[in-house]
């Protein structure tokens, strides 16, 4: 079966980690090997197709790395902006109340930029500092600030959860269980038991519906819904 060009983006996206690792001599060697096989093939136009495929793969990988760097830079800038708001007020003679109001305003303004990628960046910074060989007084203070930011971001995201099925869609956008449950917990705290019961009914309905899907449903999706269903049930039980 021949590979259609329109399928390439999907295939490459699923294997992006492998592509990023194909750097230097190993990547060149692999591509050269495939081009050699294509040249030895008796199939008409095979060498042209192989060269086009290699060119597309290289272009895709370069574009991905460039975009990833841009996203990382934006996440660093946003985190720096929040840290500055939290820590530099004293030097300017501001009262704690003024600093808190400034932070509240900033968090609301930046809510749309609190993406799953930003949460992963924030969590990665916390892990990097926490796992450092030596913890200085300054790094311990920075870790404390980052954990506070992490909590505030989750709270802000929880307040902006949508309604009904929209919520499940939003939560499924988080790849990390801790992030997903953190936002869910914050949303439940803000919206209360009635909201939790509504969500519980939807997760239960989704799990029941999965059993009737021809060919079954991906186990990873089932596990995520089950995890959320259990968390919501625990919240309802604790707050009724």
């Amino acid at each position: 079966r021949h590979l259609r060009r329109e399928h390439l983006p999907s295939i490459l996206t699923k294997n992006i980690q492998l592509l990023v690792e194909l750097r230097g001599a190993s990547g060149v060697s692999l591509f050269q090997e495939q081009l050699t096989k294509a040249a030895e093939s008796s199939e008409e136009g095979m060498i042209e197709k192989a060269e086009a495929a290699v060119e597309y793969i290289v272009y895709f990988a370069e574009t991905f790395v460039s975009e990833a760097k841009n996203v990382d830079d934006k996440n660093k800038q946003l985190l720096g902006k929040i840290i500055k708001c939290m820590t530099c007020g004293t030097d300017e003679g501001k009262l704690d109340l003024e600093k808190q109001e400034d932070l509240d305003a900033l968090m609301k303004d930046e809510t749309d930029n609190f993406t799953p990628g930003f949460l992963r960046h924030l969590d990665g910074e916390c892990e990097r500092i926490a796992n450092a060989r030596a913890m200085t007084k300054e790094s311990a203070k920075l870790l404390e600030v980052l954990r506070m930011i992490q909590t505030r971001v989750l709270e802000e995201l929880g307040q902006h959860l949508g309604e009904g099925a929209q919520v499940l869609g939003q939560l499924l956008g988080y790849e990390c269980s801790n992030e997903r449950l953190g936002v869910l917990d914050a949303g439940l705290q803000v919206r209360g038991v009635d909201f939790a019961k509504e969500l519980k009914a939807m997760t239960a309905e989704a799990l029941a519906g999965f059993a009737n899907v021809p060919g079954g449903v991906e186990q990873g999706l089932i596990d995520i819904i089950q995890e959320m269903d259990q968390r919501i049930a625990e919240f309802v039980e604790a707050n009724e």
Side-chain angles (χ1 to χ4, degrees):
R1 187 176 65 176
H2 291 290
L3 175 66
R4 298 177 65 88
R5 184 179 178 84
E6 56 266 31
H7 295 161
L8 278 175
S10 175
I11 293 172
L12 295 179
T13 299
K14 292 178 181 177
N15 295 277
I16 191 61
Q17 187 61 42
L18 174 62
L19 294 179
V20 172
E21 292 173 356
L22 286 178
R23 294 177 293 182
S26 61
V28 173
S29 175
L30 178 61
F31 287 142
Q32 189 59 52
E33 178 184 344
Q34 297 306 312
L35 289 174
T36 300
K37 288 182 179 180
E40 295 172 350
S41 172
S42 59
E43 185 174 340
E44 185 178 354
M46 179 58 72
I47 184 64
E48 289 82 5
K49 293 178 183 178
E51 289 176 345
V54 169
E55 289 177 0
Y56 185 84
I57 290 172
V58 171
Y59 164 78
F60 187 92
E62 289 178 345
T63 302
F64 175 85
V65 170
S66 176
E67 286 300 315
K69 183 181 183 305
N70 289 338
V71 171
D72 189 56
D73 289 343
K74 290 179 180 178
N75 287 335
K76 287 178 180 177
Q77 291 172 4
L78 177 55
L79 181 55
K81 189 176 181 180
I82 298 172
I83 292 175
K84 182 178 179 181
C85 181
M86 291 181 67
T87 60
C88 75
T90 303
D91 296 334
E92 299 171 5
K94 286 189 176 181
L95 300 175
D96 286 345
L97 179 58
E98 290 180 279
K99 289 172 62 177
Q100 185 62 50
E101 290 175 347
D102 288 346
L103 179 61
D104 290 344
L106 177 62
M107 299 299 281
K108 292 186 182 301
D109 289 343
E110 297 291 351
T111 299
D112 290 343
N113 294 320
F114 295 155
T115 62
F118 178 71
L119 278 175
R120 285 192 294 274
H121 175 78
L122 183 52
D123 190 57
E125 288 298 296
C126 291
E127 289 296 316
R128 180 179 63 82
I129 296 174
N131 295 329
R133 290 185 177 181
M135 179 73 74
T136 65
K137 182 178 179 180
E138 290 75 17
S139 59
K141 179 62 176 177
L142 178 58
L143 180 58
E144 180 183 350
V145 171
L146 290 175
R147 292 298 188 194
M148 289 173 60
I149 293 173
Q150 204 169 32
T151 300
R152 283 300 308 270
V153 169
L154 291 174
E155 289 175 349
E156 200 65 38
L157 289 171
Q159 292 179 26
H160 288 81
L161 281 177
E163 298 292 341
Q166 182 185 2
V167 177
L168 296 184
Q170 287 175 289
L171 293 172
L172 288 172
Y174 295 95
E175 297 178 7
C176 174
S177 174
N178 289 338
E179 296 169 1
R180 185 167 49 250
L181 293 180
V183 175
L184 174 60
D185 288 343
L188 294 176
Q189 289 294 336
V190 172
R191 306 286 282 278
V193 175
D194 289 341
F195 175 71
K197 289 180 177 179
E198 180 185 352
L199 280 186
K200 182 68 176 66
M202 285 189 291
T203 54
E205 182 181 356
L207 290 170
F210 288 161
N212 300 320
V213 175
V217 176
E218 184 181 349
Q219 186 60 44
L221 177 60
I222 296 175
D223 292 343
I224 290 173
I225 299 298
Q226 285 179 335
E227 181 182 53
M228 290 195 293
D229 182 76
Q230 181 179 345
R231 194 62 156 246
I232 297 166
E234 292 171 356
F235 176 86
V236 172
E237 182 179 350
N239 289 275
E240 271 195 315

